[in-house]
Amino acid sequence: MRPEALNPLFAEVETLEGVGPKLMKPLERLGLTRVKDVAYHLPERFVSRRSIADLDEGTEGEQVIIALTAVEHRAPRSGSRGPHRVLAQDAVGNICALTWFGKAAYSARKLLPVGERRWVAGRLDRYGDMLQIVHPDHVEVDSAGQMGRLSEPVYRLAEGLTQPRVAGLVEQALARLPDLPEWIEPGQLERSGWPAWSAALQLAQETTEERARDRLAYDELLANSLALLLVKAEGRRRKGQALVGDGRLWAKLQLPFALTGAQTRSIAEIEGDMAQDAPMLRLLQGDVGAGKTVVALNAMLIAVEAGKQAALLAPTEILARQHYETLRRMLAPTGVEIALLTGRAKGRERESILMGLMDGSIQLLVGTHSIFQDTVAYKDLGLAVVDEQHRFGVAQRLALAGKGRRAPHTLAMTATPIPRSLTLAQYGEMDVSRLDELPPGRQAIDTRVIPQERMDEVVEGVARHLAGGQQAYWVCPMVHDNEVADIAAAEMRYAALKERFGEDVVLVHGQLRSEIKDAAMERFASGQAKLLVATTVIEVGVDVPSATLMVIEQAERFGLAQLHQLRGRVGRGAEKSTCLLLRGGALTETGRARLALMRETQDGFRIAEEDLELRGGGELLGTRQSGEAAFRIANLDQVQRLLPVAHADARLLVDRDGGLTSERGEAARLLLYLFERDWGVQLLRGG
Ligand code: ADP
Ligand code: MG
C-alpha cells in the first residue's frame, strides 16, 4: 500500500480549486490526473517578451506585448473549419491579425470587443503580407499585468487550457507538497549542491535553476535504476525452465528467403538463453523491416517443440491481427495450433480460446493486452514475446511473466533504435540482440533537404507525384511542443493544400474525434485520398505501399530518431520512394549536420548514435508525445550525466539493504511510489 505521506500528492486533480468536468479532459490529455502530476508539470521553457509601442518595432518570430484595438472580426463560415481572425490596430494604425483555431475561437469576441483596447502577448508571425499572432498567450484589459508578463513559464498545453490556468494549478499543487525524508545519499547531495525535494520542485517551476532540475531528474533516474535492480534480483530468485527445441517444426517452414547474418546471430543468442534454467529477459532491437518476426517465430517454435506454449503480445488490435495472419500463413505446413485473442473476442469465441489455452490445444497465442487478463490461464506458457515493447511498461511485462507456473522466458522487440550507452537507462535489466542488417534488396529512400522557402516547388513536386497515381504524406511541424499551436499549423497547411488539391487531401491530428480520424485514414489507405496531412502526434499506423513520398516540414525541429521512424513509412512497396526534409531558414551547424546525416544513411542505429554525439543535451529520450519517452523529467543530457551515478548508487543501496528496511531504504520506498515504480516494492513483499 502507498505510504500515507504521499496521499496529498496522489489526490485527484479535481481536488484542486477550479477544476471541474470541463478542465478534466485537457488535463487528462496531458497526463495530469493527480496533484503530483501537476506539481511535476515543469515549464517547457521561460518566455521573455518585449513590450513594443507599435508593430513596426516588432520583428517576425519575436515574443511581444503590445496594445491593440480590435477593428473587425472574421469568423469562419458556419460549418467550415477555418480560423477565427480578428483584425486589430496598433497605436499608429498598423493592422495585424489575431488568429484562433478550433474551440478556442469561441472566446475571441468576448476577449476583443471591437473598438476596445487590449494588451496582447504572443509571438509575431507572418501571415501573407500582414503580421499575425496565432493563439495569443494573453489578452488583458489592464496595462498593469503587462510588466508581469515580460518573463513567464511556458507550459505544454492541450486544447481547453491556457497558460494562466496551468500556472494557477501548479501554484496550488506546490502549496500541497508534503515533507518527505531525503532519499538521496547525503554525500551526493552535498557534492552536487542540490536543494531538498520540495524546494527543488518550487525552484524548477519558477526559475531556470539547473541544480533544481538536476535533482528532480536524478530522483527519477534513481527510482528507475532501483526498480530495475529489484526486478533483476527477483528474476534471479525465480525459477524458469530450460527449453531446448529439436528443430522439427522449424524444418517444416517453407521460408522464401535465407536468414541474414544478424538474424542467425540473434536466433543463436535466444536459443542459448532459452536453454538455461534462469528465465530469459532479452530485447531484440531492429529497424522496421529488419525481420524481427521470423526471429520471434523461431523462439516460439522452440517453446512449442519443447512441449510448451508461446504468446505474442502486440500493442494494437491492428498489429495483433497482422501478426496473426502472417504467422498463421507461415505455420500452415507445421500444423501448429495458433489463435488470436483481442478485446473484440466475445462470448463463445472467447470461451473456446480460453479453453484451448487451458487444455494446451492452442500452442501459440497472438493478442493485445487482453492476453494479460487474470481470466486468461495457460496450461504451460514457456515464452512470452512482446512486440513494440517501448509501449508497454515493465510492470505489464511482469504481469505476463507471472502467468506461467514457472517464470516464462521473455523476448521483447522494439524498432526504436537506442544508442548503446542509453540501453542501460531504458532496458537496464535486459540482454540485447541487435538486427543491424536489413534483408537484401531493399530500396534506399531518396532523401533530400530543401529550404522551406521553396515551398511552391515542393507543392508542385507533390502535384506531379499525385498525378502519377501515387500517394504522399505531408508531416506538419512541431511548433513548440505545444499541441494547440501544432494543430493550428496543421489546420493552416491543410487549408492551403486543400485549395490546391481539393478532395484528394485528408487531415489527421490528435484532436479529431476517432471516427473522423479513422474515416480519413481509411480514405487514404483505400487510395481514395491521395495526400495525408498529419501532425506527428498521430500514429500513422497503416501500411500503405503506394505512399512513396513524404514531405516533412521544419525537419530540423524533429529528433533524428523520430525523423527516421517517420521516414520508415515510405519505401514499403516496389516503387522508389522519396523523402523531402524541408528546413527553416536559420540552421545551426549541428542542425545542418543532423539533416545531412539523414540524407546519408538509413541505418537507425547509426542515426541514433551520431545524433547523440551531435546534439548533446536538452532533448528527451524518445518522444514524449507518442508516449515513448523513458522518462518524464530527465532529458537526454541529464540521463548521460546522472544515470551512471544514480545506477551505481542504486546498486549500492540494493546490495546493502535489499529489503529497503533501513532509514534510507524507507525513504527510497517513498521514491519508488512517487515515480510509480512501486512494482519494485511489490516484488520485495512477494519475495
Ligand atoms: P520487422 O522487423 O519490422 O518486424 P518483419 O519481420 O515484418 O520486420 O519483416 C519485414 C519483411 O521482410 C517481411 O515481409 C519478411 O518476410 C521479410 N524478411 C524477413 N527476413 C528476411 C530475409 N532474411 N530475407 C528477405 N526477406 C526477409
Ligand atoms: Mg514487426
Side-chain angles (χ1 to χ4, degrees):
M1 260 241 298
R2 188 170 58 230
E4 261 171 45
L6 295 177
N7 286 351
L9 292 170
F10 281 84
E12 303 290 317
V13 73
E14 286 106 313
T15 62
L16 294 175
E17 216 168 296
V19 180
K22 242 173 80 185
L23 277 194
M24 278 311 295
K25 220 174 139 193
L27 288 173
E28 231 162 69
R29 291 180 62 84
L30 292 173
L32 309 181
T33 56
R34 293 147 313 175
V35 169
K36 125 191 146 65
D37 304 321
V38 177
Y40 270 103
H41 192 57
L42 301 181
E44 291 286 336
R45 62 204 160 87
F46 287 80
V47 63
S48 37
R49 303 197 180 91
R50 202 156 64 90
S51 180
I52 56 174
D54 58 63
L55 290 162
D56 296 327
E57 262 187 57
T59 51
E60 204 181 319
E62 192 183 13
Q63 294 280 356
V64 298
I65 298 182
I66 182 170
L68 294 169
T69 305
V71 182
E72 184 192 340
H73 280 258
R74 293 190 181 163
R77 272 170 287 121
S78 73
S80 102
R81 295 197 299 159
H84 183 110
R85 278 214 172 80
V86 183
L87 299 186
Q89 198 171 26
D90 69 5
V92 297
N94 294 320
I95 297 277
C96 78
L98 306 172
T99 306
W100 280 271
F101 290 87
K103 293 191 199 102
Y106 301 151
S107 54
R109 280 189 198 278
K110 224 169 46 203
L111 283 174
L112 289 147
V114 169
E116 290 185 29
R117 198 178 72 146
R118 293 287 183 270
W119 291 92
V120 178
R123 205 178 94 119
L124 282 179
D125 283 310
R126 183 142 296 280
Y127 169 61
D129 42 13
M130 209 191 280
L131 286 171
Q132 80 168 343
I133 298 177
V134 177
H135 286 239
D137 297 327
H138 302 283
V139 177
E140 285 175 8
V141 179
D142 204 352
S143 66
Q146 193 205 153
M147 293 313 289
R149 300 292 184 209
L150 287 177
S151 170
E152 270 187 321
V154 179
Y155 293 99
R156 202 157 62 90
L157 298 179
E159 181 150 355
L161 280 174
T162 60
Q163 293 294 345
R165 240 307 158 31
V166 175
L169 296 178
V170 166
E171 197 180 321
Q172 287 187 59
L174 290 179
R176 294 203 196 170
L177 299 184
D179 262 334
L180 297 179
E182 185 56 74
W183 44 76
I184 296 180
E185 198 264 315
Q188 173 67 27
L189 205 62
E190 201 175 318
R191 271 194 305 282
S192 315
W194 287 337
W197 172 74
S198 61
L201 263 176
Q202 201 93 32
L203 280 167
Q205 285 288 3
E206 289 160 8
T207 68
T208 54
E209 177 65 52
E210 202 176 323
R211 275 177 298 189
R213 285 187 170 248
D214 274 359
R215 190 233 141 95
L216 298 177
Y218 186 85
D219 287 347
E220 187 179 34
L221 297 170
L222 182 63
N224 195 61
S225 285
L226 256 180
L228 293 176
L229 287 168
L230 291 172
V231 172
K232 192 153 197 174
E234 166 68 15
R236 269 191 239 113
R237 271 197 297 276
R238 255 185 106 181
K239 262 247 160 83
Q241 43 195 351
L243 301 182
V244 180
D246 55 15
R248 82 195 125 85
L249 295 171
W250 176 254
K252 284 190 191 152
L253 295 180
Q254 289 149 11
L255 289 183
F257 47 74
L259 296 177
T260 64
Q263 284 171 323
T264 307
R265 195 167 359 98
S266 299
I267 285 176
E269 285 164 356
I270 291 165
E271 265 173 5
D273 280 5
M274 289 179 72
Q276 304 296 313
D277 253 340
M280 166 170 78
L281 211 47
R282 183 169 285 275
L283 178 73
L284 179 63
Q285 272 188 303
D287 261 332
V288 172
K292 293 184 287 297
T293 314
V294 72
V295 175
L297 177 59
N298 182 285
M300 293 190 285
L301 287 182
I302 291 176
V304 175
E305 284 167 1
K308 311 285 173 185
Q309 294 164 298
L312 189 156
L313 171 72
T316 64
E317 174 105 23
I318 298 179
L319 278 172
R321 251 165 229 291
Q322 263 174 21
H323 271 309
Y324 172 70
E325 293 301 336
T326 311
L327 292 174
R328 203 168 53 110
R329 240 178 296 124
M330 293 173 92
L331 287 172
T334 64
V336 170
E337 278 301 319
I338 178 171
L340 173 70
L341 180 64
T342 71
R344 280 203 202 148
K346 296 267 147 51
R348 192 158 298 162
E349 184 197 351
R350 190 180 153 81
E351 284 306 308
S352 114
I353 294 171
L354 294 184
M355 285 301 296
L357 287 170
M358 220 165 353
D359 67 21
S361 56
I362 295 176
Q363 295 162 294
L364 211 159
L365 181 71
V366 178
T368 51
H369 61 277
S370 58
I371 68 177
F372 283 141
Q373 285 164 0
D374 285 337
T375 46
V376 180
Y378 298 83
K379 177 159 183 258
D380 199 355
L381 184 64
L383 170 71
V385 181
V386 185
D387 195 18
E388 296 306 332
Q389 102 86 38
H390 60 267
R391 307 207 211 176
F392 297 98
V394 179
Q396 276 170 300
R397 239 153 48 212
L398 287 173
L400 185 64
K403 290 284 177 199
R405 273 187 291 131
R406 300 244 191 134
H409 297 288
T410 303
L411 177 67
M413 307 198 284
T414 176
T416 309
I418 292 168
R420 272 183 207 281
S421 56
L422 296 180
T423 29
L424 173 69
Q426 199 143 357
Y427 301 112
E429 83 282 29
M430 307 185 101
D431 299 306
V432 177
S433 293
R434 296 184 142 208
L435 291 183
D436 48 11
E437 177 189 350
L438 288 182
R442 294 285 155 81
Q443 288 211 37
I445 299 166
D446 181 14
T447 302
R448 292 181 228 164
V449 181
I450 299 177
Q452 188 101 13
E453 298 94 71
R454 287 169 54 194
M455 178 66 79
D456 291 349
E457 285 169 54
V458 172
V459 172
E460 286 323 301
V462 171
R464 279 194 301 278
H465 183 82
L466 301 188
Q470 296 187 29
Q471 292 170 285
Y473 296 100
W474 189 297
V475 181
C476 295
M478 293 190 289
V479 177
H480 25 233
D481 214 356
N482 171 344
E483 202 186 12
V484 178
D486 287 353
I487 286 166
E491 295 267 8
M492 275 199 276
R493 179 61 66 212
Y494 171 64
L497 290 169
K498 208 169 159 71
E499 270 178 32
R500 178 70 178 75
F501 297 112
E503 294 304 308
D504 282 350
V505 194
V506 286
L507 171 69
V508 180
H509 62 63
Q511 297 232 323
L512 296 174
R513 271 183 303 138
S514 56
E515 310 93 81
I516 295 181
K517 219 156 48 187
D518 290 350
M521 288 305 307
E522 183 50 42
R523 286 196 61 209
F524 185 68
S526 69
Q528 278 170 286
K530 302 290 182 217
L531 181 61
L532 178 75
V533 179
T535 56
T536 48
V537 189
I538 197 73
E539 291 274 346
V540 189
V542 290
D543 197 357
V544 184
S546 66
T548 49
L549 172 65
M550 176 171 281
V551 178
I552 304 179
E553 278 193 68
Q554 302 197 356
E556 74 276 9
R557 295 196 181 175
F558 292 88
L560 287 198
Q562 200 175 9
L563 284 179
H564 178 69
Q565 297 273 316
L566 283 168
R567 182 171 60 178
R569 308 241 174 256
V570 295
R572 297 192 163 194
E575 301 282 343
K576 186 159 181 56
S577 288
T578 307
C579 178
L580 303 181
L581 302 174
L582 307 194
R583 60 165 180 82
L587 265 197
T588 59
E589 191 72 22
T590 313
R592 212 176 290 277
R594 295 173 78 224
L595 292 185
L597 180 65
M598 287 303 294
R599 213 172 40 207
E600 200 178 304
T601 181
Q602 239 156 278
D603 175 348
F605 290 110
R606 190 174 152 215
I607 290 174
E609 299 286 351
E610 293 201 14
D611 189 27
L612 190 60
E613 297 257 303
L614 281 172
R615 64 183 163 173
E619 278 190 56
L620 287 161
L621 183 59
T623 63
R624 191 181 280 167
Q625 284 177 325
S626 52
E628 281 177 34
F631 301 108
R632 288 183 71 157
I633 315 292
N635 64 29
L636 197 46
D637 166 59
Q638 289 166 324
V639 171
Q640 290 188 280
R641 273 190 296 122
L642 303 174
L643 181 71
V645 190
H647 202 77
D649 189 24
R651 173 159 298 154
L652 216 60
L653 183 58
V654 171
D655 284 350
R656 282 195 196 141
D657 178 20
L660 299 184
T661 50
S662 65
E663 199 177 321
R664 195 180 157 216
E666 291 283 349
R669 276 172 191 253
L670 284 175
L671 175 71
L672 287 170
Y673 276 101
L674 184 60
F675 281 97
E676 293 168 83
R677 306 295 207 272
D678 41 306
W679 34 267
V681 186
Q682 260 135 41
L683 282 178
L684 279 183
R685 198 170 324 106

